Amino acid sequence: MSDASDSLSPRIGRDDVAHLARLARLSVTEDELELFAGQLGEIISAVARVGEVAAADIEPTSHAVPMTNVYRPDVVVPSLPREAVLAGAPSVEDDKFRVPQILTEEA
């Protein structure tokens, strides 16, 4: 089911999928690399086809129906004391929650 727009979309290769998996810190098998490369290629082609449908005389919208934001006034209310909040934490350092590091400097 290939058409002209498919040939214009960039090819997603195994190396691209492996790179994305490393960035997302996902463990991906060799079989999954090939599978995901094909699936990502199909997604990019589908998005390209949607872009072709957009007509100049149609105003861009973010929602199919009109939307209105509902605002409320900000009201200051008392909060829990810091000691009470930190008492429930598994680890505390310098009066703050201590959490494991998830990012490294190499990114």
Side-chain angles (χ1 to χ4, degrees):
M1 186 166 144
S2 179
D3 62 12
S5 65
D6 288 337
S7 63
L8 297 176
S9 66
R11 167 82 171 112
I12 301 296
R14 295 169 59 92
D15 291 341
D16 298 319
V17 174
H19 179 70
L20 290 171
R22 271 192 305 280
L23 291 175
R25 300 185 188 281
L26 298 174
S27 177
V28 180
T29 67
E30 290 297 318
D31 292 337
E32 290 172 328
L33 287 175
E34 193 63 38
L35 173 68
F36 295 157
Q39 290 175 339
L40 286 171
E42 290 179 28
I43 291 169
I44 290 173
S45 294
V47 170
R49 283 192 298 275
V50 169
E52 293 170 0
V53 174
D57 60 336
I58 299 174
E59 183 179 338
T61 60
S62 62
H63 295 81
V65 295
M67 298 197 66
T68 304
N69 284 332
V70 178
Y71 297 99
R72 64 167 174 76
D74 288 334
V75 178
V76 178
V77 296
S79 62
L80 291 173
R82 177 177 292 173
E83 296 77 25
V85 172
L86 294 176
S91 182
V92 176
E93 183 178 300
D94 297 328
D95 285 334
K96 299 178 193 115
F97 294 107
R98 185 172 191 282
V99 296
Q101 181 176 346
I102 60 169
L103 300 177
T104 62
E105 294 298 322
E106 44 184 85

